[in-house]
Amino acid sequence: MRYLALPLLSQNLTESTARAQTLSLYLQLSLQVSLSQRNESTMSSSSSSLPSCPKKVVTLKSSEGETFEIEEIAALQSKTLENMIDENCADTPIPLPNIKGKILAKVVEYCNKHAEVGVDAESLRAWDAEFVNVENTTVFDYILAANFLEIPTLLDLTCQSVADMIKGKTPAEIEKTFNIKSAFTPEEEEQVRRENQWAFE
Amino acid sequence: MYMNEPCSTTNPIKNLHKFAMKTDTERAAQDEGPPPPPPPLFGDILELTLTRVPLVDLVSASQVSRSWKRAVSSSLRHLNPIRPWLLVHSQSTRTPYAISTRAFDPRSSVWLDISLPQPAKHASTLRSSSSSNLLFILSPSKLSFSSDPLHLTWRHAAPPLVWRADPIVALVGHRLVVAGGAFDFDDDPLAVETYDLRAGAWEACGSTMPALLKDSSASAWLSVTADEDKMYVTDKLSGVTHSYDPEADAWHGPYDLRPHRDVYCCVIGFASGRLILVGLLGCEENVKGVKAWEVERGTWRAREIGEMPPGMVRKMKGERFCASSMSACGAGDFVYLNRDSDPGTAVWCEVVGGGDCRWGRAESPAASGGRGPAERVVFTSSNVGMSELKQALATGDPRNVIRST
């Protein structure tokens, strides 16, 4: 059995630090005990004293059935996914039937980028600007995805980008950009909304 | 179509998927050439997007369709309401004494250039009174004034009976009060005159104006504000305040409103129905702080409601804030603190809730913010709404009337 490194307990430690150190010590102890129980004959000579915890991954399924994996820490940016993870519903693939595969891929990319540590604000802003530098139709899809998944930063970014599309335009130009007279009649539009609400209650 | 298909509760998602596919194929069948149209923006997503659109662009947005019009008014009412604009009017001191106006919209933090109708060729100086957004030009031949939010309409009246330079002017209810200013003769009995907007005529008032206020140049040394009933005049350096009631033709005061001996300059304005006094602490070259007090009109006691954050005060370092160049103008819940020599910066105190306040500061884009060498600047502020903007945009080519800088 490897010797455990005992933390120095000096009188200057605060109570919480002491608790944290005690807990860490306990965890190390219990892990070592379980390890030695399993591999008594083979003593591994790895340098790390703690086994690495497997990163928790959440699987998302797009409307076409494609699956995408996203690390739990990145998924926490979505309030919807965060709630599901808290309620332990995230162990099976989560179906997202109103988000297409290529949009979902980009949204996962966004969450991964924003979950990274040590990225400076300036380069993140530049990355965000590039992210929304796409066709209007794609930006609208991003908005719907961000709204459904409740990702506040992505929603802000995309709404701002759409607001910039509205600025400085006459009503006729806005109609053209947003294709207001779409194939949906007002009744069909209503039905889609109602159907969406009912399906996800 | 999809309505007749059984929508089983065990697989609602599968059916939704079918519906999406069906309309895509339908659309594809109808028009093979162009790509399918983007999903329409509607409901709360549209409203959320509209919160980020500046007010002036919301005018076009509200004319797109009925649902967009509803979304605009809902977004303005609930999500991101209208906030009072600061209007900066610069008058050239050379003929034709043209007036150019820039505006700051705190709702979207944008600066705009506005082309407004000129009141007429005036060699006289444009002045403003912080009360009810009044802009006026006083000349020996006439008095021109405008008090609508965007100063689109000007009224012209005969000049007051006594010529005076730089008097106290305020719009109190339906009366325009003109008081003091520099006279040719001392102790003129017609020190105060009021112009009744309804009757379109001047009335001389018999009340004696406080000696303190006679012979003082209003724009430099006095801060004037008014509500529906009374006019309030504060000496910027001493904080001594008088009030005048035009209905009763009576002066009241003096009240010493200076709340703190470190305050070297006091300016007053109305926000949220309250009389707010903003004081600069320290001295002209070195402003140590800016605070706001609410003055209770019955007891004349000042209650501190807020202090400018130190970060904002630091931005004032190295600049001179002379009392003579400071002024305040208030509208809605905002009191803007203005400095003549720096028309490109908007500083405000927003009164919130039960007498607390939030401070804000915005600088206009560098190229267009400064004051030209031969220009005089005055400030007004008002609640500019959609109807005023529509009216303004109708005066000319919409793209030129209001432009963002």
Side-chain angles (χ1 to χ4, degrees):
Chain A
M1 193 133 143
R2 265 178 254 121
Y3 288 102
L4 297 166
L6 286 170
L8 271 172
L9 289 168
S10 78
Q11 276 168 341
N12 292 334
L13 278 176
T14 60
E15 198 190 301
S16 57
T17 325
R19 255 189 268 139
Q21 291 209 344
T22 318
L23 185 64
S24 145
L25 188 60
Y26 171 73
L27 281 171
Q28 286 189 53
L29 195 64
S30 60
L31 274 163
Q32 288 287 8
V33 165
S34 65
L35 261 182
S36 62
Q37 277 176 351
R38 261 189 286 153
N39 316 317
E40 251 177 9
S41 51
T42 53
M43 291 277 285
S44 96
S45 53
S46 73
S47 48
S48 60
S49 55
L50 268 177
S52 57
C53 309
K55 287 209 182 101
K56 286 202 72 182
V57 151
V58 175
T59 314
L60 306 170
K61 199 153 84 169
S62 75
S63 60
E64 300 114 342
E66 240 184 298
T67 53
F68 297 88
E69 286 199 341
I70 179 173
E71 277 178 42
E72 192 178 284
I73 197 156
L76 290 176
Q77 289 188 63
S78 152
K79 293 209 172 68
T80 311
L81 294 179
E82 189 186 349
N83 290 337
M84 287 183 152
I85 292 168
D86 280 341
E87 290 167 17
N88 289 322
C89 302
D91 297 325
T92 57
I94 300 172
L96 302 169
N98 49 354
I99 305 181
K100 290 201 280 276
K102 69 178 178 108
I103 303 295
L104 191 53
K106 292 296 277 179
V107 172
V108 167
E109 191 186 324
Y110 179 90
C111 290
N112 283 335
K113 180 74 183 180
H114 278 248
E116 268 176 31
V117 288
V119 185
D120 71 299
E122 196 52 55
S123 67
L124 192 63
R125 253 197 301 269
W127 190 91
D128 280 349
E130 258 314 295
F131 189 80
V132 283
N133 188 14
V134 289
E135 294 244 327
N136 290 357
T137 54
T138 319
V139 180
F140 298 152
D141 286 329
Y142 288 163
I143 292 190
L144 293 173
N147 187 46
F148 176 68
L149 288 172
E150 284 185 82
I151 308 172
T153 47
L154 183 58
L155 197 56
D156 276 349
L157 177 68
T158 47
C159 279
Q160 183 62 56
S161 155
V162 175
D164 291 338
M165 280 184 228
I166 298 177
K167 280 191 225 181
K169 289 197 162 78
T170 63
E173 287 166 354
I174 295 178
E175 276 180 39
K176 193 151 156 264
T177 312
F178 291 85
N179 218 326
I180 305 286
K181 294 174 178 47
S182 71
F184 282 118
T185 62
E187 295 81 22
E188 284 182 285
E189 209 180 85
E190 257 304 17
Q191 276 175 347
V192 172
R193 290 196 76 197
R194 261 191 283 124
E195 189 70 3
N196 268 322
Q197 276 176 340
W198 169 79
F200 292 104
E201 254 168 57
Chain B
M1 284 193 319
Y2 84 104
M3 285 289 277
N4 295 327
E5 275 180 273
C7 294
S8 79
T9 44
T10 49
N11 262 327
I13 291 162
K14 189 171 117 200
N15 287 319
L16 185 69
H17 180 58
K18 263 194 210 158
F19 171 67
M21 271 183 66
K22 206 159 202 161
T23 44
D24 264 339
T25 5
E26 268 189 78
R27 260 185 260 134
Q30 280 168 10
D31 39 298
E32 276 96 77
L41 268 190
F42 53 79
D44 37 348
I45 296 186
L46 179 57
E47 285 181 34
L48 193 62
T49 309
L50 290 171
T51 60
R52 292 156 185 280
V53 177
L55 199 66
V56 71
D57 296 302
L58 284 182
V59 174
S60 325
S62 67
Q63 292 165 352
V64 168
S65 74
R66 242 177 307 164
S67 57
W68 273 57
K69 184 170 180 194
R70 268 200 303 271
V72 165
S73 55
S74 173
S75 179
L76 280 179
R77 204 173 307 129
H78 305 297
L79 297 179
N80 191 5
I82 291 178
R83 292 158 97 192
W85 287 25
L86 173 70
L87 295 162
V88 182
H89 310 270
S90 311
Q91 184 183 36
S92 160
T93 50
R94 291 195 281 261
T95 43
Y97 309 103
I99 301 170
S100 63
T101 306
R102 300 189 68 234
F104 173 69
D105 176 5
R107 177 183 168 273
S108 321
S109 285
V110 288
W111 287 84
L112 308 157
D113 277 324
I114 310 187
S115 306
L116 293 177
Q118 301 281 316
K121 230 185 267 185
H122 261 284
S124 309
T125 46
L126 182 71
R127 291 199 201 281
S128 71
S129 165
S130 88
S131 68
S132 47
N133 192 41
L134 181 73
L135 262 190
F136 65 94
I137 300 179
L138 185 59
S139 75
S141 53
K142 65 175 163 180
L143 168 68
S144 308
F145 59 95
S146 168
S147 62
D148 62 281
L150 277 177
H151 305 293
L152 297 167
T153 44
W154 284 82
R155 276 182 69 161
H156 306 282
L161 300 165
V162 174
W163 165 244
R164 48 189 92 221
D166 204 4
I168 300 165
V169 177
L171 190 62
V172 185
H174 62 91
R175 290 194 184 87
L176 195 69
V177 177
V178 177
F183 292 115
D184 287 334
F185 307 101
D186 292 328
D187 289 339
D188 198 298
L190 301 176
V192 183
E193 294 176 69
T194 59
Y195 182 79
D196 191 327
L197 264 69
R198 292 188 206 149
W202 286 96
E203 288 164 17
C205 305
S207 60
T208 16
M209 207 170 82
L212 220 59
L213 298 177
K214 283 191 190 166
D215 267 350
S216 53
S217 178
S219 55
W221 304 112
L222 301 174
S223 177
V224 180
T225 192
D227 59 5
E228 277 296 304
D229 312 303
K230 292 206 180 89
M231 174 177 82
Y232 300 84
V233 182
T234 301
D235 183 301
K236 287 189 216 173
L237 293 174
S238 64
V240 171
T241 304
H242 291 84
S243 73
Y244 175 68
D245 183 348
E247 191 72 43
D249 191 16
W251 286 88
H252 300 284
Y255 309 106
D256 186 2
L257 289 189
R258 197 160 95 167
H260 200 276
R261 52 190 173 81
D262 275 346
V263 174
Y264 77 90
C265 171
C266 308
V267 285
I268 53 173
F270 267 96
S272 233
R274 302 166 206 255
L275 180 60
I276 307 290
L277 185 144
V278 179
L280 279 80
L281 291 88
C283 63
E284 287 179 0
E285 292 86 12
N286 185 10
V287 174
K288 295 220 182 75
V290 180
K291 288 192 185 177
W293 286 265
E294 178 187 342
V295 179
E296 247 173 280
R297 272 166 280 171
T299 59
W300 296 97
R301 265 206 303 265
R303 179 178 72 91
E304 187 176 322
I305 57 171
E307 180 169 1
M308 189 186 271
M312 274 177 68
V313 178
R314 267 196 293 275
K315 293 205 173 124
M316 294 167 84
K317 249 191 161 36
E319 310 239 351
R320 291 200 67 172
F321 288 82
C322 307
S324 55
S325 65
M326 303 297 303
S327 63
C329 49
D333 297 333
F334 275 55
V335 173
Y336 282 98
L337 186 65
N338 312 304
R339 184 163 62 121
D340 284 352
S341 47
D342 186 13
T345 305
V347 176
W348 67 88
C349 170
E350 181 184 3
V351 179
V352 292
D356 221 350
C357 66
R358 267 200 294 256
W359 297 82
R361 182 193 164 97
E363 283 176 47
S364 73
S368 40
R371 179 172 80 165
E375 275 184 348
R376 180 176 266 110
V377 177
V378 290
F379 302 86
T380 54
S381 88
S382 55
N383 271 315
V384 175
M386 301 274 284
S387 46
E388 286 83 26
L389 282 177
K390 280 192 193 131
Q391 219 184 326
L393 292 169
T395 60
D397 178 5
R399 282 172 208 266
N400 286 333
V401 173
I402 302 184
R403 292 178 311 275
S404 342
T405 48

